[in-house]
Amino acid sequence: MAKPRKPRTSAPDPPVSAARLPWHPPAPPVPTAVLISLAALLVRVLVSVGPYSGQGAAPKFGDYEAQRHWMELTLHLTPSDWYRNTSDNDLAYWGLDYPPLSAYQSLLHGRIINASLPEAVALRSSRGYESVESKLLMRWTVLSSDLLVFFPAALWFVWAYMKLGIGGEERREGWMWLLSMVLMSPCLVLIDHGHFQYNCISLGLTLGATAGVLSRNELVAAALFTLAINHKQMSLYFAPAFFSHLLGKCLKRKYPIVEVTKLAFVVLGTFALVWWPFLHSHEAALQVISRLAPFERGIYEDYVANFWCSTSVIIKWKKLFTIKPLKLMSLSATILAFLPSFIQQVKSPSNLGFLYSLMNSSFSFYLFSYQVHEKSILLPLLPASLLALEEPRMYGWFVYFALFSMYPLICRDQLLLQYVAVLGLFFLIYYSPGGSYGKRSNISCRAKLVLSLPFLCSLLLHITYLQIDPPKRYPFLFDALIMFVCFSQFVILALYTNYKQWMLDTHSRSIGVKKDL
Amino acid sequence: MAYTTSPSTSTAAAVAWAFAAATCVKLLLVPTYRSTDFDVHRYWLALTHALPARQWYTDASSQWTLDYPPFFAYFSRLLSLPAPLVDATLVSVPVPDAPPFAHLLYLRLTVAFSDLLLLGSVLLLARDARRNQRPFLALALVLWSPALLAVDHVHFQYNGFLMGLLLLSLHFLEQEWDLAGGVVFASLLCSKHLFLVAAPVYFMYLFRHYCCGRGVVKGLGRLVLMGSGVAVVFAAAFAPFVYYGQMQQLINRLFPFGRGLCHAYWAPNFWVFYIILDKILAFLLRRLGFNIAIPEASFTGGLVGDSSPFAVLPKVTPIATFLLVILAMAPCLIKAFSNPQPKHIIRLVSNACTCGFMFGWHVHEKASLHFTIPLALIAMDSLNDARHYFLLSIVSCYSLFPLLFENQEYMIKVMLLLTYATLMWEENKSNGMYDLLVIDLQFRIHADHVCEMMRRTCTCLTSFLD
């Protein structure tokens, strides 16, 4: 029986109109990872050209001067004098208020700067020292810290995330987009390399600890997280998440007491190592701790988009209560806020649940804790970026409003140009053509309308803050409005992520997923 | 299907995306170092706006006199049109010494705006069949070129606009619209006369491809048509100044041959070896006992005068460099004359620019852009081309590093070059992987075919045996 001859097919022509971007498959992993890291470093270098906080603003200056002053102190004084009020160390002029690892880091950077430009860190005479060379050297210390701590942690995290297949097999191709989201976080770039801070070190250590937890190196993770706490005490915002997840894991193992003891040993040992110079007397240790927790400064300062500041318009907290009851109230509110995610992780720890609990715990501290600064939004932003593949829409929304909450700070530092450029670059990568990320869920038209309202408000506020002078009676009207808009969005986001974490249990139970411990 | 093909995305989206990303980077480059070229163009913006054309080439209120041809002056005038809305002092003569931030931002934005022409030309060229498989790469290599970013958006120049014109004329020639290509090249010459170095190739190619081979009458008619097209362009540019009687002044401004053989920063061309050879010979001959006078004139100085800056080797005159350039271009001219093919035009013109760079008089190192940018568009023709372009682009960008000499720009220029090199490396690797993918697919299809044949044979045999 004669069959029609099958025509010989040649290889399919590559799609003619398709434009293959560098991160479309097939993409070689090592060159692409190097490319993304280099591009992220390039953006940081470019932002560094801009002004730093307090540039030219004598006599107090800003965070840049504080960091330079700490280098001067740690370089020339003995460790016992670092946190004490002495003739050389006037605590009123930018006294050290971060834990000892920050001081060691300042010492290292101070040594490096002293080698090439001693006038910048000379004791007492270098107060308010500003020059082109010193700015460059200081910027390079931040860049090198970022490169040495944050970048390897990000790469380790993405590798662990993909290797373990968190979030399912279909997410594997998104590793490049995830890496870009983690490395190109706009707030982190603007604060660290614009305003001038060293958040990259503590956030990098926390990110490394997260990667360690995911890849089941819990002891390494515990050590790294302890180091993160010892660099900036705000890293404690993540402590409930780490504690609950590790406790939950230990309880599910054969000998929980042994596991817990091992972790406790590592944590205490790391603490002892870092606090060694201050452990010789009770008084020295207390001196440091009193600098780390300045409760006298009040429950909030300036305008930050958290609960106490936003509701202070209606309930004047500072006037109604003294410090002690306010401390108690904020503590209980914070605990209540992170309690659901804490319980969920102790009951049924999982890798994805851990990431959600990181976010929920840091968010609860941001919203309800004592003395929160607007820059602390960086802390919930880190786990949000780690969840970018799971919750792309949530992440984009959060980044936009986190940046918006820092808008007054950006304007004060005259970083508006860098703000616009970095925001533009972020959303270009977020919406990169050919990527299906960010377009996953279908939102109803009515929901879109409701969501666009705060967005339009924010656009309007961007312009009015710059162009229009606020009325004399309320000189901080626009700051307060920005704070309200951001607070409303943060509350919605916090509720959403708490809900998602709580629902993880029921979802996994219904499809019978085996949890790896 | 086990293998996923690359997700389809339109070229237009990729184009807009690449340009937007480049614009964000250009925004971040606004507060960086700017050279005296910034003051030059700032002055020209004010000059062309505030004064009538009669005074453009005669005004001496600033040391940065206008030394580009008239089309560039018209372009400056165009860019200055929205300036009074921003700040009236932007366009007042004399210009203020220390420009406020608004002026800096405005001028940087004009450069980014003029890059739109480059974008358009590259988009047109990327639609060509050979580049169609990787249109994004063509765009990325040109739009994100670190040399272009460093020269245009830090040092401050308008090369993006000029390269856009050049690429546009090359596109027209590739599409065999020779008249349009010639006219656009003429207007490029009237914007920056440095491109005269490519004129011989254009002339040869157009003469042979456009005019010849169609019979004497038609060929002559086409010659007249091309000539009159070019003449119209030149007239539009120079006629007003002929009317004002300023042509001599113009020529003096455009061709300042009083300058030395080399610029203050030596361009990496042939004369560097000549100078080094001269110095080595002088050193050796002095050691051997000959009396070699140390020359008074320096290589990088201004007026050379009569004395030669060379100790041993013969003095180099502008005429000598001109002859050497023509000699070096000879193979290219012969090829353009004997076998003018549209698909080779980019290579021919790049060759001409390279010869001009290698042997020219008072060449700036920025001139390496003129042949590096067009070569980016043929880098994907073959693996060899890709390898050559990889090396060429890195070397030419590195040679531009001395332009950004301040410490602040050190990390910027290094990172720009590193990122670009990694992009090329990644694309080369994945291109190799893409080819492997295609080969693998072919193998699979043939394997399926073989299996199908075997199955049919078995069925035939079994049915035969039944």
Side-chain angles (χ1 to χ4, degrees), chain A residues 46-310:
Chain A
L46 287 171
V47 171
S48 305
V49 175
Y52 48 78
S53 91
Q55 187 164 352
K60 248 322 199 155
F61 301 98
D63 270 334
Y64 174 89
E65 168 64 17
Q67 297 286 348
R68 190 214 55 74
H69 183 64
W70 296 345
M71 290 182 202
E72 165 200 336
L73 286 177
T74 53
L75 189 63
H76 295 284
L77 302 176
T78 57
S80 53
D81 279 343
W82 286 352
Y83 291 89
R84 269 196 315 137
N85 211 344
T86 65
S87 55
D88 285 327
N89 182 8
D90 177 15
L91 287 180
Y93 184 79
W94 300 115
L96 258 173
D97 49 9
Y98 285 138
L101 193 62
S102 259
Y104 302 146
Q105 165 238 315
S106 291
L107 176 61
L108 176 67
H109 290 148
R111 287 235 171 96
I112 294 172
I113 294 185
N114 194 34
S116 38
L117 198 67
E119 312 86 68
V121 286
L123 193 60
R124 283 162 152 250
S125 58
S126 64
R127 285 209 186 164
Y129 186 89
E130 285 185 310
S131 79
V132 176
E133 294 83 27
S134 70
K135 175 185 174 188
L136 204 59
L137 283 168
M138 298 276 280
R139 291 284 197 208
W140 283 2
T141 61
V142 186
L143 276 168
S144 55
S145 312
D146 216 337
L147 197 56
L148 288 171
V149 183
F150 193 78
F151 277 55
L155 289 164
W156 186 19
F157 170 79
V158 173
W159 180 83
Y161 188 94
M162 288 303 156
K163 188 153 178 286
L164 295 169
I166 298 173
E169 280 295 314
E170 69 274 2
R171 303 261 198 268
R172 269 191 204 271
E173 280 173 10
W175 71 268
M176 288 167 278
W177 189 79
L178 181 63
L179 185 62
S180 324
M181 287 292 108
V182 175
L183 285 178
M184 266 297 303
S185 170
C187 288
L188 186 59
V189 170
L190 281 171
I191 292 289
D192 270 13
H193 302 272
H195 181 84
F196 200 95
Q197 278 208 328
Y198 288 93
N199 294 303
C200 50
I201 300 181
S202 54
L203 287 177
L205 288 168
T206 313
L207 185 54
T210 314
V213 164
L214 291 182
S215 48
R216 289 185 227 158
N217 295 326
E218 281 110 21
L219 297 176
V220 173
L224 285 174
F225 185 60
T226 319
L227 285 176
I229 298 176
N230 279 306
H231 186 264
K232 276 204 174 170
Q233 65 271 35
M234 273 78 80
S235 308
L236 278 170
Y237 287 20
F238 295 118
F242 274 92
F243 187 74
S244 61
H245 179 79
L246 290 173
L247 185 64
K249 265 191 179 174
C250 289
L251 287 175
K252 293 223 158 36
R253 294 217 178 116
K254 219 169 165 192
Y255 301 110
I257 306 287
V258 176
E259 305 284 335
V260 173
T261 337
K262 278 202 286 192
L263 283 170
F265 194 67
V266 168
V267 169
L268 288 172
T270 319
F271 259 105
L273 206 64
V274 174
W275 285 67
W276 189 251
F278 307 99
L279 289 178
H280 56 87
S281 83
H282 204 229
E283 188 225 328
L286 272 180
Q287 177 76 34
V288 180
I289 293 177
S290 69
R291 287 294 303 167
L292 299 184
F295 284 112
E296 331 67 59
R297 279 161 78 176
I299 191 159
Y300 60 80
E301 230 175 276
D302 283 336
Y303 286 87
V304 58
N306 78 345
F307 176 78
W308 305 111
C309 197
S310 308

Side-chain angles (χ1 to χ4, degrees), chain B residues 59-190:
Chain B
D59 182 75
S61 64
S62 164
Q63 53 173 320
W64 313 117
T65 52
L66 187 58
D67 55 5
Y68 275 22
F71 268 8
F72 196 87
Y74 299 158
F75 171 66
S76 226
R77 177 79 171 90
L78 180 72
L79 291 176
S80 72
L81 283 176
L85 297 168
V86 173
D87 187 356
T89 55
L90 253 175
V91 286
S92 61
V93 176
V95 290
D97 270 334
F101 185 73
H103 291 197
L104 174 63
L105 187 63
Y106 182 82
L107 277 153
R108 293 270 198 213
L109 286 176
T110 57
V111 186
F113 172 74
S114 67
D115 276 349
L116 280 172
L117 180 59
L118 181 65
L119 174 72
S121 315
V122 176
L123 185 57
L124 287 172
L125 278 165
R127 279 164 43 198
D128 176 47
R130 283 168 305 165
R131 287 166 218 123
N132 214 346
Q133 297 183 13
R134 310 292 294 280
F136 182 76
L137 185 58
L139 288 159
L141 285 181
V142 175
L143 289 174
W144 294 349
S145 159
L148 196 62
L149 283 172
V151 173
D152 266 17
H153 299 274
V154 181
H155 184 85
F156 203 94
Q157 278 208 328
Y158 286 91
N159 287 306
F161 168 74
L162 295 165
M163 295 314 299
L165 273 180
L166 179 66
L167 290 178
L168 189 65
S169 96
L170 287 172
H171 166 71
F172 287 146
L173 291 182
E174 268 199 345
Q175 300 297 317
E176 308 210 26
W177 300 342
D178 289 342
L179 186 61
V183 164
V184 173
F185 183 67
S187 45
L188 176 64
L189 283 181
C190 294

Side-chain angles (χ1 to χ4, degrees), chain A residues 450-467:
Chain A
V450 168
L451 285 173
S452 59
L453 200 64
F455 181 68
L456 288 170
C457 278
S458 69
L459 284 178
L460 203 65
L461 276 169
H462 268 112
I463 302 169
T464 53
Y465 189 82
L466 279 179
Q467 298 294 98

Side-chain angles (χ1 to χ4, degrees), chain A residues 268-492:
Chain A
L268 288 172
T270 319
F271 259 105
L273 206 64
V274 174
W275 285 67
W276 189 251
F278 307 99
L279 289 178
H280 56 87
S281 83
H282 204 229
E283 188 225 328
L286 272 180
Q287 177 76 34
V288 180
I289 293 177
S290 69
R291 287 294 303 167
L292 299 184
F295 284 112
E296 331 67 59
R297 279 161 78 176
I299 191 159
Y300 60 80
E301 230 175 276
D302 283 336
Y303 286 87
V304 58
N306 78 345
F307 176 78
W308 305 111
C309 197
S310 308
T311 52
S312 66
V313 177
I314 313 165
I315 311 172
K316 301 282 177 200
W317 301 104
K318 281 186 172 170
K319 289 199 188 133
L320 288 174
F321 302 96
T322 55
I323 288 182
K324 220 175 151 84
L326 276 177
K327 273 201 286 189
L328 213 60
M329 275 161 47
S330 75
L331 182 66
S332 31
T334 316
I335 292 177
L336 275 172
F338 73 67
L339 207 57
S341 93
F342 190 94
I343 295 173
Q344 194 269 341
Q345 275 300 289
V346 174
K347 263 185 9 187
S348 51
S350 66
N351 283 330
L352 199 56
F354 176 56
L355 294 178
Y356 274 104
S357 77
L358 278 173
M359 180 148 183
N360 289 324
S361 142
S362 51
F363 233 146
S364 67
F365 271 89
Y366 178 82
L367 288 172
F368 295 105
S369 178
Y370 203 89
Q371 257 291 310
V372 173
H373 291 148
E374 65 223 320
K375 297 190 279 289
S376 304
I377 196 67
L378 284 172
L379 287 152
L381 261 179
L382 178 71
S385 69
L386 305 183
L387 285 167
L389 270 182
E390 275 298 308
E391 310 269 359
R393 278 191 182 279
M394 182 275 288
Y395 180 57
W397 196 250
F398 188 20
V399 164
Y400 176 75
F401 280 100
L403 262 180
F404 184 49
S405 73
M406 293 198 304
Y407 186 63
L409 177 72
I410 300 282
C411 287
R412 276 202 299 275
D413 287 342
Q414 296 177 13
L415 284 169
L416 192 58
L417 187 70
Q418 284 77 9
Y419 175 87
V420 170
V422 172
L423 186 63
L425 272 172
F426 174 77
F427 278 106
L428 280 171
I429 298 175
Y430 182 77
Y431 286 117
S432 55
S436 59
Y437 320 110
K439 304 184 199 99
R440 205 176 304 271
S441 52
N442 294 320
I443 300 184
S444 69
C445 269
R446 201 187 289 176
K448 273 194 185 152
L449 206 65
V450 168
L451 285 173
S452 59
L453 200 64
F455 181 68
L456 288 170
C457 278
S458 69
L459 284 178
L460 203 65
L461 276 169
H462 268 112
I463 302 169
T464 53
Y465 189 82
L466 279 179
Q467 298 294 98
I468 305 177
D469 284 328
K472 289 263 187 319
R473 213 167 139 213
Y474 304 110
F476 294 107
L477 177 66
F478 296 135
D479 294 69
L481 283 174
I482 292 176
M483 181 185 69
F484 276 136
V485 173
C486 294
F487 175 68
S488 61
Q489 300 308 300
F490 291 161
V491 166
I492 296 171

